[in-house]
Amino acid sequence: MLREGGASSIQRAQGDYWIARSSQAMTLGKTLGLVLAGGLARRMGGGDKARIKVGGATILQRVLACLKPQCSRVIINANGDPMRFADTALPVVADSVPDFAGPLAGILAGLDWAAANAPNSEWLLSVPGDCPFLPKNLVTRLHEARIAAGAPLACARSGEWRHPVVGLWPVSLRDDLRRALLGEGLHKIELWTARHGVAVAEWPNAPVDPFFNVNTPDDAARAEALAEQFPDA
């Protein structure tokens, strides 16, 4: 029997559930998406790998279709002429660290952009611009992993492979990352994330590895075959 003025255990549990769902929605709403498209694509003979077509759409189109429902906003990190991405109507942010310093430089550029232009964004999700099969639950799963582990950072893993570029980064750590890049010359992602603690969210790597990336012409052919065989991937 419910005591007058009180609440049943079921009602309390329902209230806790919706509070948790609301908190999760607020967290996801504060996550900015960053597509890393600043690589040199040497193994593809140069050019933008993100413009390779897979399953009737460019990899970039597939990445943006995946990220936009999951993130508050999406931006692109790329060096060179930003107008080559004008068709996306998205902000294009170049590295502030010179000499193509690697993905950490692109992540720092995204964190700085978030601090200056999206002050309500507390988190940055980074993904490579050459992954045509990214999961639709990427942001949720990464946040769940970092919360469960009590870690400030999170990255993805599929099968035996960890994917440090596919990760969540708190905007509050951007100055620490800047010091590591410019003051220490540190460019390896996992050396920096190990200092702060990184959680890992796991996905199966079959029948399609969600983090399969296109680095070579053979990879592009393999991606096209996978997209034809698994059109929902």
Side-chain angles (χ1 to χ4, degrees), residues 42-123:
R42 291 189 180 96
R43 284 181 283 177
M44 292 294 296
D48 289 314
K49 291 188 292 181
R51 295 298 190 179
I52 296 170
K53 281 198 170 183
V54 173
T58 67
I59 299 177
L60 181 59
Q61 288 171 328
R62 295 173 69 99
V63 170
L64 295 180
C66 179
L67 292 196
K68 285 182 176 180
Q70 301 188 59
C71 300
S72 56
R73 298 178 69 176
V74 179
I75 64 175
I76 297 172
N77 163 245
N79 300 302
D81 184 4
M83 291 306 296
R84 70 188 194 275
F85 295 105
D87 59 309
T88 68
L90 295 175
V92 179
V93 184
D95 293 351
S96 58
V97 179
D99 301 324
F100 294 97
L104 277 179
I107 290 162
L108 176 61
L111 292 171
D112 282 342
W113 191 95
N117 299 280
N120 291 327
S121 295
E122 297 179 6
W123 301 91

Side-chain angles (χ1 to χ4, degrees), residues 145-221:
R146 70 159 184 86
I147 291 169
L153 302 159
C155 74
R157 181 165 63 195
S158 55
E160 297 180 357
W161 291 96
R162 186 180 290 203
H163 308 283
V165 173
V166 181
L168 275 178
W169 314 80
V171 177
S172 60
L173 284 180
R174 70 186 187 281
D175 289 331
D176 185 276
L177 178 56
R178 191 186 335 278
R179 285 190 294 271
L181 273 168
L182 297 176
E184 303 174 39
L186 188 151
H187 299 297
K188 188 171 177 59
I189 291 178
E190 291 182 292
L191 290 179
W192 186 76
T193 57
R195 297 178 178 181
H196 300 281
V198 57
V200 177
E202 304 210 21
W203 279 264
N205 62 355
V208 178
D209 189 332
F211 308 109
F212 178 93
N213 63 319
V214 175
N215 284 317
T216 67
D218 286 345
D219 291 338

